[in-house]
Amino acid sequence: LQTRQLQEQAAELEIANDALREGALRDHLLFERAPLPMWLFDVESLAILAVNAAAVARYGWPRERFLAMTIRDLRPPEDVPRVERAAREHREGETTRRPSRHLTADGRLLDVLVVAHDAHLGGRRVRLVTVLDAAGERADA
């Protein structure tokens, strides 16, 4: 009887693990294949933790370079104090929509609308950013 119960529990755990793996894969695909530029950054350090293919294409930096940056690096120098102040004053749980100016790898300046949502990842506070053009439309058009 105990052996049968252990086998049933093992089968249930395997089903649960499969569902978790499938959910993680689905979430990764949704993020990576989203048509809008997106990234995830750490609220404390402002380091970019993940970036999707649309952001890599739109901004022109290789993924590895993007992942070595902070959100400060995406802004013209005169905007950095405002970015740092906004990060310090941000209230947890708040979704923000802010106009912003972003730099591309070739030095162009993009007028965009940044929509950012709070999340937790691995015990740290993060923000998920989606970038629209300045009129609130798709930034990849």
Side-chain angles (χ1 to χ4, degrees):
L1 181 62
Q2 285 182 336
T3 301
R4 181 167 165 77
Q5 287 175 334
L6 287 174
Q7 289 172 335
E8 287 174 2
Q9 288 175 347
E12 289 173 7
L13 283 173
E14 187 61 33
I15 290 168
N17 283 333
D18 287 346
L20 285 173
R21 280 190 292 274
E22 184 177 311
L25 177 60
R26 181 191 63 242
D27 292 347
H28 173 74
L29 289 173
L30 285 171
F31 174 79
E32 184 57 32
R33 294 188 178 165
L36 296 172
M38 298 173 73
W39 55 79
L40 194 67
F41 73 90
D42 180 276
V43 172
E44 294 298 318
S45 68
L46 307 182
I48 297 172
L49 305 173
V51 61
N52 73 355
V56 170
R58 177 74 169 155
Y59 287 81
W61 282 291
R63 187 178 304 266
E64 297 76 27
R65 171 71 177 106
F66 226 124
L67 295 174
M69 297 168 66
T70 72
I71 61 170
R72 293 177 193 95
D73 300 317
L74 293 172
R75 304 298 292 274
E78 61 272 17
D79 291 358
V80 170
R82 188 173 344 143
V83 169
E84 292 173 337
R85 186 174 52 253
R88 281 191 312 272
E89 294 171 356
H90 173 75
R91 289 179 300 216
E92 189 169 355
E94 179 180 56
T95 295
T96 57
R97 292 176 61 94
R98 290 192 176 109
S100 183
R101 298 183 315 153
H102 285 178
L103 293 170
T104 63
D106 62 6
R108 287 180 297 123
L109 199 57
L110 303 175
D111 288 317
V112 297
L113 179 67
V114 171
V115 181
H117 307 277
D118 278 346
H120 286 88
L121 182 67
R124 64 170 118 169
R125 284 184 50 216
V126 298
R127 305 258 306 147
L128 175 63
V129 171
T130 303
V131 179
L132 307 169
D133 75 11
E137 302 297 326
R138 288 175 55 148
D140 62 340

